[in-house]
Amino acid sequence: MKVIVTGSYDESCAVVAEMIKDLVVSKPNAKLGLATGGTPVPIYKKLIAMNEAGEVDFSAVHTVNLDEYCGIPGTHDQSYRYFMNTNLFDHINIDKANTFVASGMGDFEANAAELEAKVYEGGVADLQLLGIGNNGHIAFNEASDHLISKAHIETLTESTINANARFFEKKEDVPTKAITMGMGDILAAKKVVLVATGLAKVPAIKGLIMDDVITTQNPSTMLKMHTDAVVVIDKELADAVGYKA
Ligand code: F6R
């Protein structure tokens, strides 16, 4: 696993936006695995600016998102489909027909099966972007005594519901279940890039980069088995976990 330490969160986002741009420039029909949450928002802003400046063309790119809440439609302002449209897709020259976010409505099991198929359709992702939960979750694979390899329905933990409550009017509005890629789906990507910032992520990042232990209690540690995994953190977080480059 490669760890990149930057001077600031903004710099981390610039580094990752450059990685994505370089990939798409060298492979215009690249397949990207995308994430939602607070962390990637500045990355998407930078990609929008690069697209506007004519530095990168998304017209042949395909995307698949990690996850979606169960029980809210794609038109709901907290759905991950809505997030992707408003934070990225509406502002770049991507063909929305080439973007996939699982549906959170209807038959959840069938929607998970559809996500599983999309992960592999036309080949696996060239690059999978990841954030990380305070408890080490990636996508919505929550810390547990076991993890699941394929796309499935996950019951969100109290920690995740509390962390995501900031995006909703009240905590009770946070959906309690989500459709998520499984661990095998994430590890199948050719390259995995995880970005983290903020002191709430210290325990999870410590487990990820400070030793060689792999544990289902910190799902992100599975990335240690990937041959091209990159973790991008800022100096504040690196110092807080005691990481020395
Ligand atoms: C989002 C996702 C989640 C987030 C994680 C961190 O698609 O899969 O695993 O990456 O919850 O969220 P933020 O970035 O809001 O701290």
Side-chain angles (χ1 to χ4, degrees):
M1 209 170 51
K2 185 175 167 191
V3 179
I4 297 176
V5 179
T6 67
S8 66
Y9 168 46
D10 188 59
E11 204 184 304
S12 295
C13 292
V15 165
V16 176
E18 279 296 321
M19 275 183 202
I20 295 172
K21 182 189 90 175
D22 290 348
L23 167 65
V24 174
V25 167
S26 69
K27 186 177 179 188
N29 64 345
K31 182 172 177 183
L32 303 175
L34 297 178
T36 60
T39 309
V41 172
I43 299 172
Y44 296 151
K45 282 205 168 82
K46 290 176 196 300
L47 291 174
I48 292 166
M50 288 168 173
N51 186 230
E52 276 168 1
E55 295 166 18
V56 58
D57 172 12
F58 290 98
S59 60
V61 166
H62 285 67
T63 69
V64 179
N65 262 75
L66 287 169
D67 41 23
E68 178 61 286
Y69 286 122
C70 289
I72 57 176
T75 47
H76 187 289
D77 65 2
Q78 289 308 325
S79 75
Y80 287 169
R81 162 51 76 184
Y82 186 92
F83 174 102
M84 289 311 303
N85 286 349
T86 52
N87 283 287
L88 185 64
F89 300 150
D90 285 346
H91 310 288
I92 60 175
N93 70 331
I94 199 163
D95 179 353
K96 280 221 190 101
N98 294 340
T99 70
F100 181 81
V101 183
S103 166
M105 298 300 283
D107 181 340
F108 301 147
E109 294 295 342
N111 299 348
E114 189 185 14
L115 170 59
E116 180 67 17
K118 289 286 177 184
V119 169
Y120 299 96
E121 191 179 278
V124 295
D126 294 288
L127 185 153
Q128 175 65 59
L129 181 61
L130 294 175
I132 184 170
N134 297 347
N135 60 356
H137 73 224
I138 51 177
F140 274 128
N141 294 279
E142 295 282 30
S144 168
D145 60 1
H146 69 280
L147 294 169
I148 296 174
S149 61
K150 293 187 176 175
H152 61 283
I153 314 301
E154 190 90 13
T155 300
L156 305 187
T157 61
E158 196 63 19
S159 156
T160 300
I161 290 173
N162 286 336
N164 289 3
R166 71 192 195 277
F167 298 117
F168 291 80
E169 237 172 67
K170 47 187 194 307
K171 187 179 154 186
E172 293 69 46
D173 293 344
V174 183
T176 55
K177 288 186 187 298
I179 295 168
T180 181
M181 280 189 203
M183 295 304 304
D185 300 326
I186 294 169
L187 291 171
K190 291 180 194 161
K191 184 183 191 80
V192 178
V193 180
L194 183 147
V195 190
T197 187
L199 299 182
K201 307 286 167 77
V202 167
I205 293 294
K206 212 177 231 172
L208 177 58
I209 66 173
M210 295 302 285
D211 60 41
D212 297 328
V213 176
I214 295 170
T215 168
T216 59
Q217 297 301 333
N218 178 346
S220 75
T221 60
M222 301 288 147
L223 298 180
K224 295 176 196 188
M225 291 188 284
H226 197 284
T227 52
D228 191 2
V230 183
V231 177
V232 185
I233 52 174
D234 46 63
K235 191 174 173 309
E236 182 192 51
L237 185 50
D239 287 348
V241 301
Y243 179 82
K244 305 249 173 312

